């Protein structure tokens, strides 16, 4: 969790012992084996316990938000570009270039972004059709292991994966 003073609060399991203890963070995202956070100056920081593969070199630049998964993470640059790092075994870190996003989410070996125009783009593993975002305009999105849900501009929620996309109603 992100405390009002910008410090991180972690509890339960090994992540609580390896999370940074300094303050000044503006966003945080954790997965089972790693965490990433954005500092007040817009820089990205990631951490993981010993024995867990690193996500690799942290890209320079100013970031607004970060989404972390088991094998990779994606961060939203201040210019709207998605930058992903970590394992790219299924193309999950190969974010489309030239596309401006307002939000990002990551699932298991895939990633999705909410574009400025309200549409959704996804990339990476597509073994359960999780990349097949339904057409429309959206305001938010969140990925699970092999499915994604998004809030439509009219307040409904649409989820998709191996079955056809469906509206699940207001939440």
């Amino acid at each position: 969790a992100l405390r009002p003073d910008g410090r991180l609060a972690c509890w339960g399991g090994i992540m609580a012992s390896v999370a940074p203890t300094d303050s000044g963070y503006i966003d945080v995202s954790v997965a089972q084996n790693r965490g990433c956070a954005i500092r007040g100056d817009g820089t990205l920081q990631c951490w993981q316990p010993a024995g867990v593969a690193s996500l690799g070199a942290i890209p320079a630049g100013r970031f607004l938000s970060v989404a972390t998964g088991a094998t990779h993470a994606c961060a939203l640059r201040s210019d709207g570009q998605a930058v992903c790092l970590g394992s790219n075994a299924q193309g999950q870190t190969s974010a489309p270039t030239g596309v401006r996003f307002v939000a990002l989410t990551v699932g298991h070996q895939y990633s999705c972004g909410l574009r400025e125009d309200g549409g959704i783009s996804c990339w990476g593993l597509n073994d359960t059709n999780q990349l097949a975002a339904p057409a429309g305009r959206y305001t938010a999105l969140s990925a699970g292991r092999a499915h994604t849900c998004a809030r439509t501009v009219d307040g409904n929620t649409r989820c998709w994966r191996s079955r056809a996309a469906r509206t699940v109603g207001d939440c």
Side-chain angles (χ1 to χ4, degrees), residues 44 59 63 73-77 81-85 93 95 104:
L44 175 64
F63 295 90
C74 292
L76 182 63
R77 285 193 187 274
Q81 299 298 303
V83 176
C84 301
L85 56 154
T93 63
L104 301 171

Side-chain angles (χ1 to χ4, degrees), residues 17-145:
S17 65
V18 297
T21 57
D22 48 341
S23 62
Y25 293 97
I26 59 170
D27 190 45
V28 63
S29 176
V30 295
Q32 70 186 56
N33 292 329
R34 68 186 79 255
C36 293
I38 307 294
R39 295 180 176 279
D41 66 0
T43 58
L44 175 64
Q45 178 182 359
C46 296
W47 63 93
Q48 64 278 325
V52 174
S54 168
L55 290 173
I58 302 296
R62 288 187 47 80
F63 295 90
L64 302 174
S65 64
V66 62
T68 306
T71 65
H72 72 292
C74 292
L76 182 63
R77 285 193 187 274
S78 58
D79 67 359
Q81 299 298 303
V83 176
C84 301
L85 56 154
S87 172
N88 197 31
Q90 299 295 327
Q92 67 266 36
T93 63
S94 297
T97 57
V99 178
R100 292 180 55 94
F101 295 100
V102 297
L104 301 171
T105 188
V106 299
H108 181 70
Q109 298 186 332
Y110 76 100
S111 308
C112 293
L114 177 61
R115 299 186 312 260
E116 275 187 335
D117 67 2
I120 295 174
S121 295
C122 298
W123 57 94
L125 182 65
N126 194 33
D127 63 337
T128 62
N129 208 32
Q130 63 266 44
L131 303 187
R137 291 187 54 231
Y138 298 89
T139 61
L141 75 165
S142 182
R145 180 170 175 81

